[in-house]
C-alpha cells in the first residue's frame, strides 16, 4: 500500500493505479481509504465494475444511503451478471445489517433460481440467501439452498458445516 500510494501521488490520474490501491486498501480492511480511491477510480473512468467493492466499503462504515445509491446505479447500468450479483449480495447484506433481513431475503430471492450451469457468483448468491434464510428461522429453505451449493461445490466456504448444523 505504501508503494502504491507513492505511485498514486506521482500519477494521480492513473485509473489502474487508483483501482489497485483501492483493492489493496480493501484487502487490508482500510475501508475508508479504499472507498476514497474507488471514488477517484469512478471519476476517472465512469466504470461501475468496482461498485460492489465500493458498496462493501460503505457497508463496513454503516453508510447505508451510499450503499443503496450505488446499488441502484449498478443495477441500472447492469455491466455484467457477476458484478450485479455481487452488488445484490452486498445490498442484501446491508439491509440485513440494518435489521431488515426479510428485505435482504427478497432482494436475493429474485435471482436465486436454479441454473443449468452455475458459476461461482451463483453459488455465492445461493449461499448468501441461505445465510439470511437461516437468520429468519427458515431452516428448511436455508438447508435446501446450502444443499444446492454443496451439490455444485462441496468445498465452498463452510457449506458442509452449515448444512450439518441444520440437520
Amino acid at each position: 500500500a505504501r508503494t502504491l500510494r507513492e505511485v498514486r501521488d506521482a500519477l494521480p490520474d492513473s485509473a489502474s493505479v487508483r483501482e489497485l490501491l483501492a483493492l489493496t486498501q480493501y484487502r487490508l480492511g482500510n475501508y475508508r481509504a479504499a472507498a476514497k480511491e474507488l471514488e477517484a477510480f469512478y471519476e476517472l473512468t465512469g466504470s461501475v465494475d468496482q461498485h460492489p467493492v465500493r458498496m462493501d466499503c460503505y457497508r463496513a462504515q454503516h453508510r447505508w444511503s451510499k450503499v443503496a445509491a450505488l446499488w441502484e446505479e449498478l443495477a441500472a447500468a447492469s455491466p455484467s451478471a457477476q458484478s450485479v450479483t455481487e452488488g445484490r449480495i452486498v445490498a442484501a447484506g446491508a439491509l440485513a445489517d440494518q435489521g431488515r433481513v426479510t428485505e435482504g431475503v427478497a432482494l436475493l430471492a429474485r435471482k436465486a433460481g436454479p441454473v443449468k450451469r452455475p458459476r461461482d457468483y451463483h453459488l455465492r448468491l445461493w449461499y448468501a440467501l441461505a445465510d439470511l434464510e437461516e437468520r429468519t428461522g427458515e431452516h428448511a429453505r436455508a438447508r435446501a439452498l446450502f444443499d444446492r451449493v454443496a451439490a455444485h461445490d462441496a468445498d465452498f466456504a463452510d457449506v458442509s458445516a452449515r448444512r450439518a448444523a441444520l440437520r
Side-chain angles (χ1 to χ4, degrees):
R2 184 178 310 119
T3 301
L4 284 169
R5 281 192 299 269
E6 292 172 7
V7 175
R8 181 229 24 225
D9 292 346
L11 302 167
D13 293 331
S14 172
S16 59
V17 171
R18 292 293 188 129
E19 182 180 31
L20 186 55
L21 177 56
L23 296 175
T24 300
Q25 294 287 18
Y26 177 78
R27 295 284 258 155
L28 293 171
N30 300 330
Y31 302 116
R32 190 175 317 274
K36 180 181 174 187
E37 295 302 328
L38 287 171
E39 288 168 12
F41 170 78
Y42 177 73
E43 291 299 319
L44 289 167
T45 66
S47 170
V48 297
D49 289 341
Q50 293 297 340
H51 269 29
V53 178
R54 194 169 158 201
M55 290 168 62
D56 205 34
C57 290
Y58 290 131
R59 177 184 174 195
Q61 298 173 61
H62 298 221
R63 295 178 69 186
W64 311 125
S65 61
K66 286 277 203 180
V67 174
L70 288 172
W71 166 238
E72 288 180 23
E73 191 174 318
L74 179 65
S78 193
S80 70
Q82 181 175 350
S83 289
V84 174
T85 300
E86 294 301 330
R88 182 180 301 279
I89 292 167
V90 175
L95 290 169
D97 291 347
Q98 297 171 75
R100 299 163 57 191
V101 180
T102 304
E103 291 175 61
V105 166
L107 182 60
L108 294 179
R110 288 184 201 128
K111 297 293 182 177
V115 294
K116 288 183 180 183
R117 292 192 180 126
R119 298 185 181 204
D120 283 344
Y121 62 87
H122 294 110
L123 301 182
R124 286 192 296 278
L125 177 71
W126 298 337
Y127 183 93
L129 179 55
D131 179 69
L132 294 185
E133 292 282 18
E134 183 179 13
R135 288 170 63 179
T136 64
E138 295 292 343
H139 293 167
R141 285 198 286 227
R143 187 172 35 254
L145 286 159
F146 284 136
D147 287 345
R148 189 188 308 167
V149 171
H152 295 286
D153 184 352
D155 296 324
F156 187 88
D158 64 348
V159 74
S160 297
R162 298 293 297 269
R163 290 172 67 209
L166 290 172
R167 296 278 177 224

